[in-house]
Amino acid sequence: MKKTLTIILLTIMAGFSARADEGMWLPSLIAQRIADMQEKGFKLDAEDIYSINQASLKDAVVLFGRGCTGELISPEGLLLTNHHCGYSQIQQHSSVENDYLRDGFWAMNREEELPNKGLSVSFLERMEDVTDRILKGYEPGMSEDERVAAVKANSKALIDEVIKEGKGLRATVEALYYGNQYFLFLYRQYDDVRLVGAPPSSIGKFGGDTDNWMWPRHTGDFSMFRIYADKDNNPAPYSKDNVPYKPKKYFRISTAGVQEGDFTFIYGFPGRTREYIHSEGVRYIEEIGDPHKIHLRTLRLDIMSKYQSQSQKVRIQYSSKHADVANAWKKWQGEVKGIRKMKTVQTKQEFEAAFDKWATDGEFDGVIAKIYGLYKELEPYQFAAEYYSETVRAIEIANFASSLYATYKVNKETGEVTFDQKKAADLVEAFYKDWYLPIDKECFAALMTEFDKNIPAEFKCEYFTKQIKKYGSAEKWAEALFNKSIFADQAKVEKFLKAQKSFAKSRKTLLDDPATEFAAEFAKWYASDIYPATSRINQELQLAYRDYMRGQMVYCRTQRVPKVFYPDANLTLRVAYGHIKGYQPADATYYLPSSTIKGIMEKDNPEIFDYNIPQRLRDIYAEKDYGNWTDSTGEVPVCFIATNHTTGGNSGSPVINADGDLIGLNFDRVWEGTMSDIVFDPEICRNISLDVRYVLFIIDKVADADHLIAEMTLVN
Ligand code: ARG
Ligand code: GLU
């Protein structure tokens, strides 16, 4: 099976290699693209990008935390990523007195670098096609359950085997092309990663949610960390004795600047795309899923903003939460717009009709109808599942109640209840630091009202129906729940946890609390009425997609339909290449590809929170005290856009020029192009990057931290 797929892919690529910049390519197979890359300007070879025999660019790229990318920029383990990727770390070290979010933070020496619980980075050691090994024991004709079992057992055996090769190794086996291919990814994970620097939010988050997903952009979205290792350069948990990690490879930084048309290459960890889905899947997203989720989040955002504007404390408490909720909310709006503009549903329907005709009586006969039927069956369950996650799971007090409840463990044999005091204390501290009751309560009322309105009666859980009936409205229900729940009052919770005589009794009390009950009853409903259906149908869909995916490849090759194939993103390392280019967002409007400090000054407004810059920046601008960090017009460059195909997870990814040097830091896309997770439009899909010269300018002129620049290798 592996051979067939590889051969199909190779023939397709040979036929259509000179197409637009769409694609997220596997680094270990980059030799298949290198000719195209070189034709477009790249000067290095495939082995420079990915090699298991010598240090290559991949050794300077890390998966940062749970879903960002970072890159090494000095021989001393200095790492660059986005401000929004380091946001929760910066926030955790902040308080009203020491507000690093507001004022920025710069370690002036190694001692001042701040350790971070729970933050790790992973280097890719190697990746390899392991399809044959993973499917060993599976024969055509066996059931899907048998296949799943074989994949699971073979993956586990392989992972257990490879992680013995060294210290700090972890591995995953990932399905590509819906399980037509399997790849092993072996990582080395470092857990001592310290905060080195971050500009004030008025620079790092300049433009805030107003400018998020937008061009022209002027956000200095970067923060810096340092990886620490034991004295042998191996991963080790945090210790004072750890020393800066010595990377196999780090990026040189180019200060030569960028021009429209220049080759750009992004190396990073894109999270999730669905380029090959059926029209019906797209229709659901466009007409149902996205619009409902957008509406639910509008309600929450309005409530948060209202209280945030009334208090500085609440503004800090909810800054990260607000940004999280707003981010996908805005992305979905662009996605819907883009899918409509591209007429993706219609285009896919036409493709499917032609495919179906071609497929008659062959291996792929009926697969189109099968997928369509499964989507129809899935729809009401999918809708309920999305509502569950956007309403019930958005109630903070309920999430907290269930995680606190989970610190009690029952021994299955003896029935004895134990309690993890340390964990409970940590949870309490972390939760109340950033929780504001009026916001949560108002969200509860608003979201439960929507749940009532939009979830059909036969899909509602009994508990919900009873509560609404009992209280008469979601508002009154909210009033009662937040009045009665012990979790509404930090002091009460702390007293309760301290005064426990019997853990079994306490556990029972918490279980009876209305907030825990709310979470538990809904979770039960989800687990019994919704999840089994979504999971079964999705599994059948996966199976059908496995055929359809292969079918699309065979069809396009044999019928000479021009289409590029690359595996959907799945948070594994990818290469995306393109070039610097402006775009036309609307009639008679053209956006140039780079922005400068002049634009920051045009937006500057002390009255508007998102556009209020530090006085220092105004002074520098007035004096034109720019140092070496200017472009050909004498201004400081800030951001640029290019045609690289990226998605969430690519945040913090290095942007590399034709010589393999760092010119920027990816952090966003233009919102008109966010449908690129489903369909890529070369006319309008643009990724947004921070110009590395702005990073250097801020470190030098605003932070006065040139000891960091001294560590780097600058080239011009
Ligand atoms: N849109 C970017 C991404 O998807 C940046 C998000 C953080 N910034 C913000 N203002 N919410 O992650
Ligand atoms: N900001 C996104 C991230 O966190 C990147 C933007 C996108 O392309 O989705 O990965």
Side-chain angles (χ1 to χ4, degrees), residues 403-664:
S403 49
L404 198 68
Y405 178 69
T407 58
Y408 293 86
K409 291 266 171 323
V410 187
N411 184 312
K412 274 201 195 105
E413 268 129 53
T414 63
E416 192 204 351
V417 179
T418 51
F419 166 65
D420 187 339
Q421 183 148 13
K422 168 87 178 62
K423 197 161 164 206
D426 287 351
L427 284 173
V428 169
E429 198 197 311
F431 177 71
Y432 290 105
K433 179 172 178 278
D434 292 330
W435 183 65
Y436 188 57
L437 184 144
I439 291 184
D440 207 17
K441 188 159 109 182
E442 231 173 283
C443 283
F444 182 101
L447 297 176
M448 285 301 110
T449 303
E450 292 304 304
F451 192 94
D452 197 22
K453 251 199 275 176
N454 294 303
I455 297 292
E458 68 274 23
F459 271 89
K460 279 184 188 127
C461 63
E462 217 176 287
Y463 161 80
F464 175 85
T465 316
K466 253 203 218 144
Q467 298 301 103
I468 287 286
K469 206 160 151 205
K470 177 168 163 194
Y471 293 105
S473 74
E475 280 82 15
K476 292 206 181 104
W477 178 16
E479 205 50 59
L481 188 146
F482 283 80
N483 262 335
K484 241 184 92 193
S485 172
I486 182 175
F487 298 106
D489 186 339
Q490 178 172 6
K492 270 194 202 152
V493 173
E494 281 170 348
K495 205 168 135 205
F496 173 83
L497 293 177
K498 256 192 216 119
Q500 300 184 75
K501 295 227 168 60
S502 139
F503 292 146
K505 247 196 175 152
S506 308
R507 181 171 178 270
K508 176 84 176 67
T509 311
L510 291 192
L511 184 62
D512 292 340
D513 185 276
T516 328
E517 183 191 49
F518 173 85
E521 287 293 335
F522 268 107
K524 249 194 277 170
W525 161 78
Y526 179 71
S528 67
D529 291 14
I530 309 298
Y531 180 74
T534 54
S535 142
R536 174 186 58 79
I537 303 166
N538 275 320
Q539 212 181 42
E540 285 183 47
L541 263 175
Q542 281 296 315
L543 191 61
Y545 267 128
R546 201 179 304 141
D547 288 339
Y548 182 39
M549 187 73 240
R550 238 179 23 262
Q552 290 183 59
M553 289 174 170
V554 176
Y555 169 71
C556 291
R557 176 179 49 120
T558 55
Q559 305 305 300
R560 303 211 59 76
V561 177
K563 192 170 163 77
V564 283
F565 289 97
Y566 48 90
D568 272 326
N570 57 355
L571 210 64
T572 58
L573 191 60
R574 300 298 175 92
V575 169
Y577 58 94
H579 55 284
I580 302 211
K581 196 171 185 214
Y583 73 109
Q584 187 167 0
D587 183 41
T589 314
Y590 183 77
Y591 283 150
L592 297 174
S594 32
S595 66
T596 70
I597 192 166
K598 243 167 59 192
I600 298 183
M601 296 304 145
E602 287 166 8
K603 285 177 181 172
D604 175 27
N605 184 343
E607 305 287 304
I608 301 175
F609 181 76
D610 283 346
Y611 294 133
N612 184 14
I613 57 168
Q615 187 54 39
R616 177 98 187 90
L617 207 53
R618 292 186 192 115
D619 296 342
I620 292 173
Y621 184 73
E623 288 156 26
K624 298 267 180 284
D625 175 20
Y626 293 161
N628 299 324
W629 321 116
T630 51
D631 63 14
S632 54
T633 70
E635 290 300 338
V636 179
V638 179
C639 296
F640 59 82
I641 50 175
T643 59
N644 302 69
H645 192 180
T646 55
T647 187
N650 269 124
S651 272
S653 298
V655 190
I656 304 158
N657 67 10
D659 297 309
D661 297 323
L662 191 76
I663 49 172

Side-chain angles (χ1 to χ4, degrees), residues 127-245:
M127 55 188 288
E128 98 195 51
D129 187 336
V130 290
T131 313
D132 290 343
R133 163 114 192 224
I134 295 304
L135 291 179
K136 212 165 92 194
Y138 168 75
E139 303 292 340
M142 282 184 174
S143 73
E144 182 63 7
D145 284 347
E146 287 169 309
R147 191 183 193 271
V148 170
V151 167
K152 214 170 143 191
N154 291 335
S155 301
K156 183 170 183 308
L158 177 60
I159 289 170
D160 289 348
E161 184 184 308
V162 294
I163 58 172
K164 289 201 197 105
E165 289 171 17
K167 284 204 179 129
L169 294 181
R170 99 186 147 73
T172 61
V173 170
E174 305 288 348
L176 302 178
Y177 298 115
Y178 296 92
N180 279 299
Q181 219 174 4
Y182 290 91
F183 263 77
L184 168 75
F185 293 86
L186 182 65
Y187 300 97
R188 194 180 298 271
Q189 177 177 319
Y190 285 80
D191 297 323
D192 185 354
V193 185
R194 303 184 196 171
L195 178 63
V196 172
S201 293
S202 50
I203 290 173
K205 210 183 169 224
F206 178 78
D209 287 327
T210 317
D211 283 10
N212 191 23
W213 300 109
M214 307 272 263
W215 185 254
R217 189 66 157 278
H218 302 88
T219 312
D221 198 343
F222 77 98
S223 61
M224 299 175 92
F225 288 78
R226 191 184 306 281
I227 307 172
Y228 280 77
D230 70 12
K231 57 181 189 344
D232 302 318
N233 213 30
N234 282 319
Y238 169 78
S239 154
K240 273 219 213 50
D241 302 330
N242 285 349
V243 292
Y245 166 74

